[in-house]
Amino acid sequence: YELIAEDMIAEDDKVAVRATFRGIQQHAFNGIPPTNKAAEISVMLIYRIANGKIVQHWMNADSLSLLQQIGALPTPS
């Protein structure tokens, strides 16, 4: 898999990253057996930095799209 940073913005002790995650589901994921299907989703990450290290992080990902792409949920027609 790969995580591609599209944008990165820093202010005070926080860094925000807009990224694209791409991969192939080759292992079980949340009880879903491997499908060997490719998926690509948008991800937003925020990191809090202290003393040059990441001490907290938050992530928001397009989980609905991921589940649809690997075939775990139907895609609306």
Side-chain angles (χ1 to χ4, degrees), residues 15-41:
V15 177
V17 181
R18 180 181 67 87
T20 300
F21 174 86
R22 290 186 192 132
I24 296 173
Q25 189 212 0
Q26 297 176 325
H27 304 284
F29 172 72
N30 287 346
I32 302 163
T35 63
N36 291 315
K37 292 185 178 181
E40 179 177 306
I41 62 169

Side-chain angles (χ1 to χ4, degrees), residues 2 28 72:
E2 61 183 335

Side-chain angles (χ1 to χ4, degrees), residues 54-69:
I54 297 170
V55 294
Q56 282 183 296
H57 79 278
W58 302 269
M59 181 177 85
N60 188 10
D62 186 357
S63 301
L64 175 61
S65 178
L66 173 62
L67 293 172
Q68 289 173 331
Q69 290 177 60

